[in-house]
Amino acid sequence: MAKIDLSNISHSYNPNDPNPVYALNPFSMTWEDGNRYAILGPSGCGKTTMLNIVSGLVRPSAGKILFDDKDVTDLKTEDRNIAQVFQFPVIYSTMTVFENLAFPLKCRDFTKSKIDERVNSVAETLNLNSYLNLPARKLTADQKQLISLGRGLVREDVAAVLMDEPLTVIDPDLKFRLRRNLKEINEQYKTTLVYVTHDQNEAMTFADNIIVMSEGEVVQTGSPKDLFERPNTTFVGYFIGSPAMNLFESEIVSETEVKVGDIKIKTNTNLSKVKNKNIKLGIRSEFIDLADKEGNNTVKAKVQKVEDFGNFKLLTAKMKNFTIKSKIEREKPISNDEVNLYIPAEKCCVYEDEKLI
Ligand code: ADP
Ligand code: MG
């Protein structure tokens, strides 16, 4: 296992073009040994490029990759001691399941007893133990992907296991169990796991550290809680959470207050140095509650829709031209006409040019 540093990395697939397009803009980041990371972002934002730079399949246009402070930028994939699992299964179809799983260990001259021990342990984790003697081609698509995953996990000595949307072909129930198993493997063997996905739930339930990307840019790195409570940009506020963060075009009216339409809202942000341009107020629907009467930081809104999700109700209301969404405890009665909604100052995020102030 290793600490992995990405130092001033950037990448263009057409670097010699007069107008090169950057799939990855310059960034630096450290992946600590033994942690679980998710790289999250919409399709085309550069996730696979980042992963392939770490594994050595892509050489970055600029910057360095360090494994435990050793520069590996010019090392080939085979020499980097990385296990990679791709979106679609890669298996040796003429070999048995056992032989597939044993292959990375055989290539490295592990003893027979060590191979048996590791293969059986991984097969058990992935529920493949009753198939070990079957030819791999006889298995279903999702079982084949389990074999790919297993091949990545049999070696305890890898620097990291890199997974690029590995559960795409696997059915939802099994996905849930597998993510839990991957977490157990990480806790047990302290394997550094990096998991690429475009699905926020997958990222949030799998990783302690999430790297959010948008258009070749790392926009925020943090825990699920950081991303939820203090999104760095309006993109993160919008992309993470369900529903997306409420975002209102605003004006600054005092050191800590903004105006949404003609409604003043107090925040805990110091706005004294901010130019009054392209300001947005962000507030999660989870933090907005019904208020009995008008007061500080309450807004009047006209109810448009109430959806019952069982464990909460999602209220959609209109305050002037703005649509506001609020998650309300399911027992609370909601008027079908007008409501007062309370917006707590300490949960307000203020954005200037889409960046958190
Ligand atoms: P993601 O995995 O997030 O979907 P990718 O890293 O695959 O994103 O792609 C990032 C950008 O780089 C996209 O605009 C994509 O079209 C481009 N790209 C990816 N691979 C290549 C390639 N081999 N040659 C040229 N452009 C590529
Ligand atoms: Mg990809």
Side-chain angles (χ1 to χ4, degrees), residues 13 23 42-49:
Y13 286 100
S43 174
C45 69
K47 305 182 294 295
T48 296
T49 305

Side-chain angles (χ1 to χ4, degrees), residues 29-308:
M29 188 182 305
T30 299
W31 294 344
E32 297 295 344
D33 190 4
N35 283 1
R36 290 192 304 271
Y37 294 89
I39 305 175
L40 172 68
S43 174
C45 69
K47 305 182 294 295
T48 296
T49 305
M50 186 188 282
L51 210 66
N52 288 348
I53 285 174
V54 174
S55 67
L57 291 173
V58 169
R59 195 192 185 290
S61 310
K64 284 195 176 100
I65 305 287
L66 310 168
F67 285 9
D68 279 337
D69 301 320
K70 180 174 161 265
D71 190 342
V72 299
T73 319
D74 289 311
L75 285 190
K76 292 198 297 264
T77 302
E78 308 85 273
D79 302 324
R80 287 196 190 186
N81 214 12
I82 281 279
Q84 196 163 5
V85 183
F86 299 92
Q87 198 166 358
F88 296 100
V90 180
I91 55 153
Y92 307 106
S93 56
T94 56
M95 294 185 190
T96 64
V97 174
F98 184 97
E99 287 163 342
N100 266 275
L101 294 174
F103 195 72
L105 303 176
K106 264 209 165 126
C107 296
R108 284 168 187 82
D109 292 328
F110 278 68
T111 62
K112 189 181 170 308
S113 67
K114 186 72 193 169
I115 293 178
D116 283 348
E117 180 204 316
R118 288 296 304 152
V119 169
N120 284 315
S121 154
V122 166
E124 183 150 351
T125 307
L126 299 176
N127 250 357
L128 286 173
N129 29 10
S130 44
Y131 305 99
L132 285 172
N133 297 321
L134 284 182
R137 64 171 182 282
K138 294 253 162 102
L139 273 64
T140 61
D142 54 2
Q143 288 173 326
K144 284 179 185 158
Q145 184 62 328
L146 295 183
I147 300 175
S148 299
L149 207 54
R151 266 208 321 268
L153 298 171
V154 280
R155 288 168 56 201
E156 289 164 284
D157 64 332
V158 288
V161 179
L162 310 179
M163 295 170 276
D164 195 347
E165 316 233 8
L167 304 185
T168 311
V169 291
I170 292 181
D171 79 53
D173 280 353
L174 192 57
K175 254 188 192 173
F176 178 78
R177 219 197 59 226
L178 273 176
R179 274 203 308 274
R180 208 179 50 209
N181 290 352
L182 283 170
K183 269 172 115 157
E184 281 166 18
I185 289 168
N186 164 260
E187 275 150 21
Q188 195 177 347
Y189 299 111
K190 304 284 172 242
T191 315
T192 308
L193 298 180
V194 184
Y195 189 104
V196 164
T197 177
H198 61 269
D199 177 334
Q200 56 159 320
N201 288 322
E202 260 188 37
M204 298 284 216
T205 51
F206 173 75
D208 313 311
N209 301 279
I210 299 175
I211 298 149
V212 186
M213 299 187 60
S214 166
E215 298 181 4
E217 198 96 43
V218 175
V219 284
Q220 187 164 6
T221 306
S223 66
K225 183 170 185 280
D226 297 335
L227 301 179
F228 182 76
E229 295 198 347
R230 303 293 294 166
N232 258 349
T233 64
T234 52
F235 170 81
V236 179
Y238 195 82
F239 190 68
I240 306 268
S242 178
M245 185 178 226
N246 290 288
L247 288 163
F248 306 116
E249 283 183 26
S250 312
E251 277 174 55
I252 295 172
V253 288
S254 77
E255 253 178 41
T256 55
E257 278 173 311
V258 297
K259 212 161 72 169
V260 178
D262 55 6
I263 307 156
K264 274 191 194 167
I265 294 169
K266 193 169 159 25
T267 74
N268 278 6
T269 308
N270 180 351
L271 304 168
S272 56
K273 294 201 179 69
V274 184
K275 292 180 286 325
N276 211 340
K277 264 200 221 151
N278 190 14
I279 304 296
K280 288 198 177 95
L281 174 72
I283 175 89
R284 291 275 182 208
S285 57
E286 285 81 356
F287 299 140
I288 303 176
D289 205 356
L290 291 172
D292 298 334
K293 52 184 189 305
E294 284 182 75
N296 289 338
N297 271 28
T298 65
V299 298
K300 269 199 182 313
K302 238 182 149 37
V303 175
Q304 291 203 303
K305 194 165 63 170
V306 178
E307 292 158 278
D308 193 342

